[in-house]
Every structure is written in structure tokens, then in C-alpha cells.
Amino acid sequence: MANAPPIVRGDAGIAEAVEALRAGKLIGMPTETVYGLAADASNPNAVARVFAAKGRPSFNPLISHVGSLDTALVEGQLDERAVRLAERFWPGPLTLVVPIGETTRSCELARAGLETIGLRMPRHSVAHALLNAFGGPLSAPSANLSGQLSPTRAEDVTRAFGEEVTAVVDGGPCRAGIESTIVSALPDDELRILRPGAISREQLELIIGPLGDAQPGAVSAPGQLPSHYAPNARLRMDASDIAENEVLLGFGPDTPEGAANLSAAGDMIEAAANLYRLLRALDTEGVETIAVMPIPETGLGEAINDRLRRAAAPREIGR
Ligand code: TXA
Ligand code: MG
């Protein structure tokens, strides 16, 4: 794109990013899951720019990223269950949806008018440094145009945006490569997984016991739309062979020689980390369909298959 934002690094890069954020501008921020398009969560104009830059069809709630538990406790009300999860999984790829705090600085637009808020403390050292230097919450959806693949490298972000983003802070390739797991911890309700993600259900249930699922129709946010996270090519799941104009995305040791492979060893963590990068690499001109070999539902397989099902879902015209 013309005038792609510069990639910045190190302390100078973080200082530049903080200055831009304070001025209500947008920056690309690395996290351990995917790159975020960050704005000052307390500044509705800045948050509005995030929706505009992404081309989000509506004002869906954004996650407020925090650098410390103290900041989280200003933004939201964490009950005993939420605190237990935060203590075990923060910093890390867990987002907790909780009631807003009386002192919350995250503006109404960031919360899409809800009385609840999604809070997450990223583990990535650059994100951590940036959040602590900024001092307040940052709204940061994944730094991609609405409906497209999430970015796992700084260059993925610079390719998608122009001058509306001031700079992208480089943090190298994202380790987890798939978004955070979202758990709701709301009063008078059981804990629920709203979006499967980089922390598996098993890991969470080991700490907190059985978790419910999202109630159908409860929140309509992009990550919960049937068609989302999609490459330009069509996607076909559970493929055992490929047809003309298809490319194969393999998984495990049975993948044919020479084909892209999410994980030759069949390792779910490696597969999650490779997912968006390989979909992006295979999504080239002339490829009609990416055929993906079956992936078991175990561990991070739940999140991987969730993203694949959305990418494979029928698409609205003009999306
Ligand atoms: O890993 C991640 O979570 C990445 C990185 C950048 O941190 N962020 C991310 O943000 O995936 P985004 O905006 O693409 O997805 C945020 C999701 C929305 O789809 C929405 O469903 C959910 O968070 N969410 C946020 N606030 C919520 C709330 N109050 N109630 C229910 N869901 C909420
Ligand atoms: Mg997203």
C-alpha cells in the first residue's frame, strides 16, 4: 500500500509509539498471539479510528490491554474466579470479560456501549514495555482489515495499512500465532469460553474446573461471525486429497512430501503458531481453494478448527 507505516524498534521505537498513542494516533503492537492495532482506550476519537482503519462493519467491543493487575482492577471488577485465572495465566493469552469498574477509563465506544469489558495482559516483552510506558489501557483488535487473516509479523501489518497507522513496533514473529482465549467471568453466571484461543480448555479447566460455552446469539462480534479470519481463496477442511486449483495445507507426519505442513510432528502449539502464516503464504493468485488436512479437536485443535471453520464458511457477497 502507498505510504505504508514505518516499522520501529527498541526503546526509541517504544518512545515514538507512546507519543503517537498520547496524540490519539494508531500504532501496530506486537503481542504473543497476533499483532494488535492499538489506540488509547480512553480516547473515543482514537478508538473510532481503529474501527475505521479496520473497516469493521459495526462497533464491536475491543479488548483493553493492560500492563499490570492494578490497571486491570481500575478497568474492571474481577471476582475471585477471575483473579484466580489472572494470577495463573497473566501475563499471557487470556482475555477476561468482566463487569466494568466504576473507575474504568476505557471509553464507551471501546466497549461498544456494554457494561462489561474484555481485559488482557499480554506476555510479549515489547507489549509489556509499551503498556507500562503508556500507563493506561490500550484498545487493540488484531491489526488486519475486518474479516481478513490476523497478522503474525510486523510486515503483515505494514502491508495492510497506510498513513492511518503511525508506526508498527516490531516484536518479531508472534509465538502463539492465534488469538487469546476469551473467558467471561460475570456475576450470577458460570465461567464461559466465548472464543477458544491460545490457552486450551484443558489448561483452564485444570485451574478452575468445568467451563461453559458462549450462549448462542449472546454477543455478535466479528470473531463470532460465521465467516471470519478468511484468506481470499476458499477453504476446505478435512481434505484427504486435492483437486485442480487447490493447494494442500497438511498436518502431521502423513502430509505428502513438499506440501505446506502446520506441524510435521502433529504438535498443536506449533500448528497454531504456523496457522495464519501458512494460510497467507498459500493464499496466492490462481489458487482457488486451500484444502486443509484433518486436525484433531484436542488442546489448541479446538481454536485452530474454530478459525478454519469460519474461514471455510460461506461468505457474504461484497465482504
Ligand atoms: O489475542 C488477542 O486477543 C488479540 C491481540 C491483539 O491481543 N486481540 C484480538 O482482538 O483478537 P479482536 O478485537 O480481534 O477480538 C476481540 C474479541 C471480539 O470479537 C469480542 O467478541 C470480544 O473480544 N470481546 C471484547 N469485549 C467483550 C465483551 N465486553 N463481551 C464479550 N466479548 C467481548
Ligand atoms: Mg480479529
Side-chain angles (χ1 to χ4, degrees), residues 34-35 54 56 140-151 179 195 222-223 228-229 276 307:
V34 300
Y35 275 74
K54 281 185 63 97
R56 270 208 174 174
S142 50
N144 51 273
L145 299 177
S146 189
Q148 297 192 355
L149 288 175
S150 300
E179 290 84 353
R195 174 178 75 181
H228 198 62
Y229 308 104
Y276 292 130
R307 303 302 188 275

Side-chain angles (χ1 to χ4, degrees), residues 143-237:
N144 51 273
L145 299 177
S146 189
Q148 297 192 355
L149 288 175
S150 300
T152 57
R153 295 168 310 180
E155 306 83 72
D156 297 339
V157 185
T158 56
R159 249 178 240 133
F161 296 99
E163 278 165 349
E164 64 275 29
V165 176
T166 301
V168 180
V169 185
D170 192 13
C174 301
R175 280 218 187 156
I178 198 163
E179 290 84 353
S180 61
T181 304
I182 304 181
V183 173
S184 71
L186 297 174
D188 306 318
D189 192 22
E190 61 175 327
L191 297 173
R192 297 176 186 279
I193 295 188
L194 301 186
R195 174 178 75 181
I199 296 177
S200 69
R201 176 183 292 274
E202 291 87 336
Q203 282 173 289
L204 291 162
E205 290 189 338
L206 211 59
I207 303 298
I208 205 83
L211 294 167
D213 293 306
Q215 281 173 309
V219 177
S220 72
Q224 283 142 4
L225 291 176
S227 169
H228 198 62
Y229 308 104
N232 292 315
R234 306 261 125 202
L235 195 132
R236 183 164 70 84
M237 295 177 71

Side-chain angles (χ1 to χ4, degrees), residues 14-36:
I14 287 174
E16 195 181 319
V18 168
E19 197 183 322
L21 290 165
R22 294 216 167 109
K25 302 200 167 133
L26 309 186
I27 58 125
M29 168 175 85
T31 83
E32 69 278 22
T33 58
V34 300
Y35 275 74

Side-chain angles (χ1 to χ4, degrees), residues 3-312:
N3 300 320
I7 294 178
V8 298
R9 298 189 173 80
D11 289 346
I14 287 174
E16 195 181 319
V18 168
E19 197 183 322
L21 290 165
R22 294 216 167 109
K25 302 200 167 133
L26 309 186
I27 58 125
M29 168 175 85
T31 83
E32 69 278 22
T33 58
V34 300
Y35 275 74
L37 185 61
D40 178 353
S42 71
N43 179 340
N45 290 319
V47 173
R49 279 187 204 116
V50 172
F51 288 111
K54 281 185 63 97
R56 270 208 174 174
S58 57
F59 294 154
N60 295 293
L62 303 178
I63 296 169
S64 283
H65 294 69
V66 296
S68 68
L69 188 57
D70 283 347
T71 307
L73 294 171
V74 172
E75 296 307 304
Q77 300 173 46
L78 280 69
D79 65 14
E80 180 258 335
R81 305 168 302 173
V83 168
R84 245 168 81 203
L85 287 172
E87 281 175 346
R88 171 63 183 78
F89 294 104
W90 281 358
L94 172 70
T95 295
L96 289 168
V97 170
V98 299
I100 52 170
E102 279 169 24
T103 47
T104 191
R105 289 168 286 181
S106 301
C107 66
E108 227 174 326
L109 184 57
R111 298 183 269 114
L114 297 175
E115 295 296 305
T116 58
I117 186 164
L119 294 172
R120 147 161 153 76
M121 191 195 301
R123 182 171 206 90
H124 196 294
S125 59
V126 174
H128 213 69
L130 180 66
L131 282 159
N132 284 321
F134 181 68
L138 291 177
S139 293
S142 50
N144 51 273
L145 299 177
S146 189
Q148 297 192 355
L149 288 175
S150 300
T152 57
R153 295 168 310 180
E155 306 83 72
D156 297 339
V157 185
T158 56
R159 249 178 240 133
F161 296 99
E163 278 165 349
E164 64 275 29
V165 176
T166 301
V168 180
V169 185
D170 192 13
C174 301
R175 280 218 187 156
I178 198 163
E179 290 84 353
S180 61
T181 304
I182 304 181
V183 173
S184 71
L186 297 174
D188 306 318
D189 192 22
E190 61 175 327
L191 297 173
R192 297 176 186 279
I193 295 188
L194 301 186
R195 174 178 75 181
I199 296 177
S200 69
R201 176 183 292 274
E202 291 87 336
Q203 282 173 289
L204 291 162
E205 290 189 338
L206 211 59
I207 303 298
I208 205 83
L211 294 167
D213 293 306
Q215 281 173 309
V219 177
S220 72
Q224 283 142 4
L225 291 176
S227 169
H228 198 62
Y229 308 104
N232 292 315
R234 306 261 125 202
L235 195 132
R236 183 164 70 84
M237 295 177 71
D238 296 321
S240 50
D241 50 19
I242 55 167
E244 227 178 290
N245 295 335
E246 286 192 337
V247 287
L248 186 70
L249 179 55
F251 174 79
D254 298 334
T255 300
E257 189 95 21
N261 196 338
L262 286 165
S263 168
D267 179 284
M268 289 301 181
I269 293 175
E270 186 183 25
N274 284 331
L275 180 66
Y276 292 130
R277 182 179 62 79
L278 288 178
L279 284 175
R280 214 179 269 281
L282 295 178
D283 191 20
T284 53
E285 219 165 300
V287 171
E288 259 165 40
T289 304
I290 301 171
V292 188
M293 282 171 66
I295 293 163
E297 282 282 341
T298 52
L300 293 190
E302 186 182 353
I304 295 170
N305 283 315
D306 170 77
R307 303 302 188 275
L308 290 173
R309 269 192 290 275
R310 289 177 206 277

